[in-house]
Amino acid sequence: VFTVGWDTENNRVPVAGIVVYDLLSGHVISSFLSDFPVAPGYTGEFGVPSIHLSPDGKKVILEEYKWRASSTNQTRQIRLRTGRIAIYDADSGSPISTLTLEPSITEPADGHVVNFSNDSRHLYYFFDKHLFVIDLLDDTASSGIALPIGFDPTRVVPAR
């Protein structure tokens, strides 16, 4: 998955172009526009990518985020995930659904994709101190599993 026109702290791009490319065949599978801005996460700015391709290559996941002042440096802006997730069909570029995970706190929450299941059916998502399991076949999210304060998962390893 490649992005065309990504969002940075100093250059806001409200709409992103997405290209799904098959490296083995050397062909573009699909290309489409997203209403969510996209951040690649490797430009030296704080944060992780906001676009993800499922392991089976069938779904593109986009995480909505908002720019907010950093709590440690008010002159800097950081991306905070809103809990809104868009799911696209990678073959056609067609939107499948948008899910919204509701925060349980009033201050800005943050989140991130943790991992996909081995079969690409589930997406594990950390948001507002909860771990959500999103079923990518029926586009539903579990109620969040509350995690202890300070526990921020970086990987979920599914049992085989």
Side-chain angles (χ1 to χ4, degrees):
V1 169
F2 294 95
T3 64
V4 180
W6 58 82
D7 203 34
T8 67
E9 179 181 1
N10 298 315
N11 183 30
R12 305 294 167 81
V13 178
V15 176
I18 311 299
V19 178
V20 180
Y21 182 81
D22 184 336
L23 188 60
L24 295 176
S25 71
H27 292 95
V28 171
I29 303 298
S30 66
S31 61
F32 56 96
L33 293 177
S34 165
D35 290 336
F36 286 12
V38 174
Y42 58 80
T43 60
E45 297 195 6
F46 177 75
V48 296
S50 63
I51 183 168
H52 310 272
L53 182 65
S54 63
D56 64 2
K58 299 294 182 191
K59 305 261 172 84
V60 175
I61 309 299
L62 290 142
E63 302 172 82
E64 182 186 58
Y65 60 86
K66 303 266 187 215
W67 287 98
R68 297 206 171 98
S70 168
S71 60
T72 58
N73 181 350
Q74 293 294 313
T75 64
R76 297 287 319 263
Q77 295 277 308
I78 60 171
R79 296 186 318 261
L80 291 177
R81 305 305 198 278
T82 65
R84 227 172 130 221
I85 301 164
I87 303 168
Y88 287 83
D89 181 279
D91 290 331
S92 68
S94 300
I96 295 173
S97 69
T98 302
L99 302 173
T100 302
L101 307 174
E102 296 297 332
S104 62
I105 57 177
T106 56
E107 61 189 61
D110 195 18
H112 58 85
V113 167
V114 176
N115 202 5
F116 290 89
S117 62
N118 294 331
D119 63 1
S120 297
R121 177 174 179 158
H122 297 100
L123 171 71
Y124 303 101
Y125 197 83
F126 178 69
F127 181 66
D128 186 27
K129 302 176 181 60
H130 290 74
L131 182 66
F132 292 88
V133 179
I134 298 171
D135 188 321
L136 295 174
L137 291 183
D138 64 14
D139 306 318
T140 58
S142 69
S143 56
I145 302 163
L147 299 176
I149 292 175
F151 185 77
D152 182 353
T154 56
R155 179 72 60 192
V156 170
V157 180
R160 293 192 189 265

